[in-house]
Amino acid sequence: MKTMLRTSAFAWMALFLASAAFASEPGPKEKQLGIATYSVKGLETDIEGSFKTLQDAGYTVMEISNYNARNRTVEDYSPTEYAELAEKYGMDIISSHARASFDVEDVEGTLAAWGQVFDDHKAMGCKYVVFPMNRWANNVEEMKVECDLMNKIGEEANKRGIKFGYHNHNFEFEKIEGTEQMIEDFLIANTDPDKVFFQMDVYWVTEGKQDPVAYLKKYPNRFKVLHIKDDYVIGESGRIDFEAIFNQFYKNGYDDWFVEMEEYMSPEQKAEREKMMEEMRKRREEAAKQQAEGGEQAAQASQNRPRMQRPQRTPEQEAERLKISLDGITKSAEYLKNADFVK
């Protein structure tokens, strides 16, 4: 009987030790899924509810696009309050799309404005501040001056331990007037890599009829952050090789990326958008020609064109818009979590 008890005790002890050893082994590493909150259409109508959905989907880091440089707030929160709100839902704000003055005729004022932007983003704990879009001069001489200003803004960011970058759309893959060089390549060649990095939007590179992987190989040290984007839900269109993109990005030594999604559109709406984008491209070309021929007067006329107005929506429409975008964002997270090539 004593022998049986001893055997039973040893068996239980062995089972306990095996269980403890198994429990102490680290589980699979959690993937760093990033979300650009530009994707959350109608975020301002339910910030905490949206953050909870993002957390449940598995997102861990965030890039915001709703910082207001005029009053130095984010959706009426102070920068630190907004960062704390994101942390409440398990996400860190590490990047931001932000705008401030960009005036080559007022360098001092421009640098002062961006200095405030960087101060506020340092308070949020951001690693990156990204200039989301700019209408470049489209001639070599003036673009060099604009690139010099980008470098000076980057210096201000460096003083605060922040990296300053630029985000492409498709029009950066058009050629500069009178040259064979594309805007994106010119910007990369004429900015200091220690002061300005580039955020590649893989969808807009593709829309610009270029290969994201080829650009990552061509400039392995300049594209430090990615926007992972598709026609809508990531991976559904099948026309963007995300595995090759991630593999090259990791090979280059970088790992910060964010899902970014545009508004959901029906096939008819997509066709309308394509038509509108083509009209915008033609207008840019026409504006460049007019500026070359007519100088200041033509440039002023171009700046005075009426801007597109945001559509007015009912609360019910905004709620449905938010629901649709969060659903797409959640499906995108599932694709990326299940993808072996995503670390």
Side-chain angles (χ1 to χ4, degrees):
M1 182 69 178
K2 290 181 179 179
T3 303
M4 287 180 64
L5 286 173
R6 281 197 299 270
T7 303
S8 179
F10 285 135
W12 278 107
M13 180 62 72
L15 181 61
F16 172 78
L17 290 173
S19 299
F22 179 78
S24 65
E25 288 181 7
K29 183 183 176 184
E30 183 184 46
K31 292 185 178 184
Q32 179 178 295
L33 265 63
I35 181 66
T37 56
Y38 166 85
S39 313
V40 187
K41 311 306 180 186
L43 169 68
E44 67 281 357
T45 65
D46 185 8
I47 294 173
E48 292 210 44
S50 298
F51 281 7
K52 180 66 168 64
T53 301
L54 296 177
Q55 179 186 37
D56 291 344
Y59 291 101
T60 58
V61 292
M62 181 187 295
E63 177 182 77
I64 65 170
S65 60
N66 49 356
Y67 169 79
N68 187 323
R70 288 190 182 89
N71 56 30
R72 302 179 71 177
T73 61
V74 188
E75 300 296 351
D76 295 328
Y77 291 88
S78 74
T80 51
E81 288 170 343
Y82 200 71
E84 287 167 0
L85 185 61
E87 288 172 8
K88 176 182 173 182
Y89 292 95
M91 293 176 288
D92 293 323
I93 299 173
I94 65 169
S95 183
S96 174
H97 273 205
R99 288 184 174 278
S101 171
F102 190 79
D103 185 354
V104 295
E105 302 297 330
D106 181 15
V107 173
E108 186 177 343
T110 294
L111 297 183
W114 280 100
Q116 288 189 340
V117 170
F118 297 138
D119 287 341
D120 289 342
H121 284 81
K122 182 178 180 179
M124 275 191 279
C126 281
K127 293 164 63 176
Y128 312 107
V129 172
V130 182
F131 194 14
M133 184 169 68
N134 188 47
R135 186 171 180 174
W136 303 100
N138 205 32
N139 70 75
V140 169
E141 292 74 20
E142 291 182 60
M143 282 185 67
K144 281 185 177 178
V145 177
E146 291 172 328
C147 287
D148 287 343
L149 183 54
M150 290 285 285
N151 287 331
K152 289 172 182 173
I153 295 170
E155 286 179 15
E156 291 300 313
N158 287 348
K159 291 175 185 176
R160 294 152 173 93
I162 289 174
K163 293 180 174 65
F164 175 64
Y166 182 73
H167 167 274
N168 69 272
H169 289 80
N170 59 334
F171 66 82
E172 278 88 6
F173 299 96
E174 297 172 4
K175 291 179 181 177
I176 301 169
E177 184 86 9
T179 78
E180 290 300 308
Q181 191 171 29
M182 286 187 285
I183 294 171
E184 184 80 354
D185 293 271
F186 184 92
L187 295 174
I188 292 172
N190 288 275
T191 51
D192 186 335
D194 292 330
K195 298 169 184 173
V196 180
F197 77 91
F198 288 80
Q199 179 181 56
M200 177 186 285
D201 187 306
V202 302
Y203 172 83
W204 287 121
V205 173
T206 306
E207 286 292 294
K209 298 180 173 55
Q210 303 300 315
D211 177 7
V213 175
Y215 259 84
L216 289 171
K217 289 179 177 178
K218 185 177 182 180
Y219 301 109
N221 300 315
R222 298 306 298 274
F223 292 107
K224 299 182 186 296
V225 184
L226 297 182
H227 266 182
I228 298 300
K229 185 188 292 189
D230 206 331
D231 286 347
Y232 192 57
V233 172
I234 307 300
E236 280 196 355
S237 76
R239 70 190 191 95
I240 298 177
D241 189 347
F242 290 107
E243 181 171 3
I245 289 167
F246 272 101
N247 286 343
Q248 187 61 47
F249 187 60
Y250 292 142
K251 184 178 179 180
N252 289 355
Y254 303 109
D255 57 14
D256 287 326
W257 54 270
F258 306 94
V259 168
E260 188 189 55
M261 299 174 66
E262 300 291 341
E263 194 94 33
Y264 172 78
M265 288 182 288
S266 66
E268 295 77 17
Q269 289 171 321
K270 286 181 182 178
E272 186 62 30
R273 185 189 71 171
E274 292 298 321
K275 180 181 176 183
M276 183 182 71
M277 289 176 64
E278 180 60 21
E279 288 174 356
M280 288 173 63
R281 186 188 66 77
K282 289 178 179 177
R283 278 189 208 144
R284 284 196 302 271
E285 289 180 353
E286 185 61 29
K289 288 178 183 176
Q290 288 180 357
Q291 190 168 347
E293 294 168 2
E296 288 294 325
Q297 188 174 356
Q300 188 63 43
S302 174
Q303 290 175 5
N304 290 337
R305 279 200 191 100
R307 295 183 179 273
M308 291 177 64
Q309 299 296 316
R310 288 187 177 182
Q312 297 297 312
R313 299 183 181 90
T314 66
E316 293 77 17
Q317 288 173 326
E318 282 290 4
E320 181 63 16
R321 183 173 174 244
L322 178 61
K323 178 177 177 293
I324 289 170
S325 72
L326 287 172
D327 180 61
I329 289 165
T330 299
K331 289 177 180 175
S332 294
E334 285 304 309
Y335 170 80
L336 293 162
K337 284 189 290 188
N338 291 327
D340 292 337
F341 54 83
V342 177
K343 293 181 181 179

